[in-house]
Amino acid sequence: MNSKIILGIIVVLLLVGGIFLFSSQTATSPSPSPTLTGSTETPVPSESPSGSPVSSGSREYSLADVAAHANAQSCYTTINAKVYDLTSWIDQHPGGREAILSLCGKDGTAAFTAMHGGQARPEAELASLFIGVLK
């Protein structure tokens, strides 16, 4: 079997497993409010994706807001309660566009952590795509 196919299968299995794990952990979470609040300025991240608090001027998004951006034309995801616009990264991701498209409109914490947790470069790339915080 081609090594790219095998790698692709592994990535898909890890993402599906992460999504399944996250879904089972949040099955009893209350429904998020669909409202969007916060400033209209583009926020600047003040930390790494898994680090300390974000600046108080960050825009806030609900899970419903993130879910409205679930395709290749507008792809938002949440990781560790922070919101990222992955749209520009879809065709740049070394693991292929499917890996990113599987995160669009969802919480991608488990999938990102499983694939890239603790790796400096993926965390830096992610930080550059930060747009706000999850409320």
Side-chain angles (χ1 to χ4, degrees):
M1 228 179 184
N2 185 334
S3 62
K4 287 185 179 181
I5 293 172
I6 293 171
L7 180 60
I9 292 170
I10 291 170
V11 168
V12 169
L13 290 174
L14 286 171
L15 287 172
V16 169
I19 291 168
F20 176 77
L21 176 64
F22 175 77
S23 296
S24 65
Q25 289 177 347
T26 61
T28 59
S29 296
S31 298
S33 168
T35 59
L36 175 63
T37 61
S39 72
T40 58
E41 298 175 291
T42 303
V44 177
S46 61
E47 47 138 309
S48 70
S50 58
S52 59
V54 181
S55 70
S56 61
S58 295
R59 189 165 182 177
E60 293 182 336
Y61 296 85
S62 68
L63 285 175
D65 297 325
V66 172
H69 298 270
N71 58 55
Q73 290 71 42
S74 184
C75 176
Y76 290 8
T77 192
T78 65
I79 298 174
N80 296 323
K82 295 170 190 71
V83 181
Y84 301 90
D85 182 349
L86 303 181
T87 309
S88 65
W89 187 243
I90 292 170
D91 291 323
Q92 297 178 31
H93 187 258
R97 54 186 283 123
E98 291 76 24
I100 301 302
L101 290 172
S102 69
L103 303 177
C104 298
K106 303 173 185 170
D107 185 308
T109 303
F112 181 82
T113 302
M115 289 301 297
H116 303 299
Q119 297 175 353
R121 184 172 181 190
E123 297 235 352
E125 292 287 353
L126 184 63
S128 74
L129 302 170
F130 174 83
I131 58 170
V133 296
L134 194 60
K135 61 177 174 177

